[in-house]
Amino acid sequence: MKPSLSRLALPALLASVAAPALAADAGSLNIICGVQAEWCSLVQTTFSRTTGIKVNLVAKGGGEALAQISAESANPKTDVWFGGTGDPHLQAAEKDLTLAYQSPNINLLRDWAVNQAKQSGYKTVGIYSGPLGIAYNTELLAKKKLAAPLCWTDLIQPQYKGEVQMANPNSSGTAYMAIATLVQITGEDKAFEYLKALHKNISQYPRSGSGPLKNVSHGENTIAVGWIHDVPGEVMQGFPVKSAAPCEGTGYEVGSMSIVKGARNLANAKKFYDWALTAPAQELGLAAKQFQLPANTAAKVDPRVPDVKRIKLINYDFAKYGKAAERKRLLERWEKEVNGGAN
Ligand code: PLP
C-alpha cells in the first residue's frame, strides 16, 4: 500500500511543530547591558536569532549594575553583565561576584582587553575601549558667545556657570572614571578642589553616563563630560555637537564583560561570552552607531573611532581605581565634600 499524502507530510509537519519547541529548549539568558540602548537591542536580537536562546535584557549604568549584582549575590538573577566601564567589573571581580572564565576567543583580542582579563583572574574581559572628554553644543555656545572648552580647567571658569553636566558617579561608571582621571592628573586634594569648583557650574548630575551628552545634543545643556566616541553618533543624527580631548590629558575606559557567579544559565552565558568576543558580534557596536575601538583585532574600525594617537591619554591605573575600597572612598568623599557639602 502506498503511503498516503498525509502520512508523507507528517514528518514535515512534526518538524515545523518541533522548531519552536527546540527554540524553547535553548533556554534563556539574563543580561545587564551597560552600553547604549541601540547596541543593547542589536546584541539581544542578533544573539537570540542565531541561537534560539531567549534573551532578557535590562540596561544599567556601571554603579547600578554593580549594586544589583551585589544585592542578588545569594540568589543571582543575572547571568551576564555586558559592557560599561571596566572599573565596576574589576570591583565585582574583587568581591567575588563574577566567575573566572577563560574564553577560547580571548586570543582574538587586543592587549588591553586581555590585560583586563589577566588582572581580574579572568573574571572579566575587555570588549571595547574609548577616551573620556568634553562635548559641547556649538549652536548654544555661539548663541551665548562662549568659547569652546578645550581643557578640564576651562569647565570651572565662571562664564560656564550652569552650563555643564556630568553624570552622578554613584550610578555612572563614566562619572566615576572622570573623578579617578582628575585624581590621577592633579593628585587627590587638588582634584577635589576642582570638583567643588566644577559643582558651581553644574546644572545637573544625570543618572546615566550618556545623559549629559544627550542633553547637549537636544540643546538642553551646553557642555558635557562624557565619551569622545559617543559624539560621532550624535553628529550622524544631525546634532550640532563637537568634542574636545582635554589638554591636560584624559582617561579611557576598557568597556568590559563578566559572567555572574552562580549564573543559573551558565552554559548559555558562556555561549554568549564566546560569541560577544567574535568580530561579527563586536561590529554590532558600529552598526548601532557606536564608535568605541573594538577589542577583537579583526573587527572593522570605522574612521570616526577616535584616534588615540592624537589624544593625550593618561596611564589610567585600572588596578588601583578598579578596587572596591577605592571606589567607596572616592564616592563618599565626593558626596561629603562636593555633592552634599557644597550645596
Ligand atoms: N554609554 C556608553 C556608550 C558607554 O560606552 C558607557 C561606558 O562604557 C556608558 C554609557 C557607561 O554608562 P554609565 O556611565 O551610566 O555607567
Side-chain angles (χ1 to χ4, degrees):
M1 209 169 79
K2 279 188 181 169
S4 72
L5 237 187
S6 63
R7 279 180 64 197
L8 270 180
L10 195 61
L13 184 69
L14 276 179
S16 70
V17 170
L22 262 180
D25 283 345
S28 59
L29 184 67
N30 300 311
I31 298 181
I32 289 182
C33 188
V35 292
Q36 292 207 6
E38 302 86 335
W39 189 357
C40 292
S41 166
L42 263 185
V43 163
Q44 179 179 29
T45 50
T46 311
F47 182 70
S48 205
R49 203 179 50 231
T50 50
T51 59
I53 294 168
K54 181 175 185 292
V55 177
N56 306 305
L57 184 143
V58 54
K60 295 248 178 236
E64 295 171 322
L66 180 62
Q68 177 168 335
I69 288 168
S70 185
E72 290 176 0
S73 64
N75 186 13
K77 310 237 179 333
T78 307
D79 302 306
V80 174
W81 177 9
F82 175 84
T85 54
D87 307 288
H89 284 267
L90 290 173
Q91 286 140 12
E94 181 201 335
K95 291 168 93 179
D96 209 21
L97 297 169
T98 46
L99 187 79
Y101 175 56
Q102 208 163 336
S103 168
N105 289 345
I106 254 180
N107 57 12
L108 307 175
L109 308 181
R110 297 177 198 274
D111 288 349
W112 45 261
V114 179
N115 288 343
Q116 183 78 346
K118 282 185 184 157
Q119 70 177 313
S120 66
Y122 294 91
K123 289 181 182 173
T124 191
V125 65
I127 53 174
Y128 60 81
S129 175
L132 187 71
I134 298 167
Y136 49 86
N137 183 309
T138 51
E139 286 176 5
L140 281 180
L141 281 180
K143 204 159 116 193
K144 296 176 188 216
K145 298 191 170 37
L146 291 169
L150 301 173
C151 303
W152 292 116
T153 44
D154 289 341
L155 301 189
I156 61 172
Q157 300 310 311
Q159 65 269 30
Y160 297 122
K161 190 170 171 59
E163 306 289 351
V164 186
Q165 288 185 5
M166 177 177 99
N168 187 314
N170 293 297
S171 50
S172 158
T174 309
Y176 173 76
M177 270 210 71
I179 293 176
T181 293
L182 290 160
V183 167
Q184 288 170 82
I185 291 173
T186 63
E188 189 170 322
D189 288 341
K190 278 200 181 138
F192 274 87
E193 285 313 309
Y194 173 89
L195 289 164
K196 276 188 244 179
L198 181 66
H199 185 82
K200 297 198 175 102
N201 284 355
I202 292 267
S203 61
Q204 205 192 105
Y205 292 103
R207 190 181 56 82
S208 143
S210 51
L213 176 57
K214 295 277 178 214
N215 294 341
V216 161
S217 290
H218 298 145
E220 291 154 16
N221 172 47
T222 312
I223 300 166
V225 173
W227 301 111
I228 293 177
H229 52 262
D230 279 356
V231 171
E234 301 299 311
V235 172
M236 275 175 87
Q237 293 176 67
F239 294 118
V241 183
K242 278 193 172 164
S243 65
C247 68
E248 299 93 340
T250 194
Y252 61 97
E253 63 167 335
V254 174
S256 298
M257 171 173 66
S258 312
I259 296 179
V260 173
K261 195 171 179 189
R264 291 184 198 167
N265 303 297
L266 184 57
N268 285 347
K270 288 182 177 173
K271 201 181 263 186
F272 176 87
Y273 193 101
D274 295 343
W275 169 81
L277 299 181
T278 62
Q282 295 242 311
E283 286 171 359
L284 292 177
L286 185 56
K289 303 186 193 69
Q290 303 293 302
F291 296 93
Q292 287 94 333
L293 178 66
N296 185 305
T297 53
K300 183 170 186 256
V301 178
D302 188 272
R304 286 163 291 192
V305 169
D307 180 0
V308 291
K309 283 190 227 82
R310 300 171 66 181
I311 295 175
K312 191 170 162 191
L313 286 185
I314 63 166
N315 186 14
Y316 191 95
D317 189 342
F318 291 98
K320 177 167 181 188
Y321 296 95
K323 288 263 185 323
E326 193 62 6
R327 175 172 185 271
K328 186 166 179 286
R329 195 181 64 75
L330 288 174
L331 290 180
E332 281 172 1
R333 185 166 181 187
W334 184 80
E335 271 303 334
K336 185 159 167 263
E337 294 182 22
V338 181
N339 197 29
N343 273 335

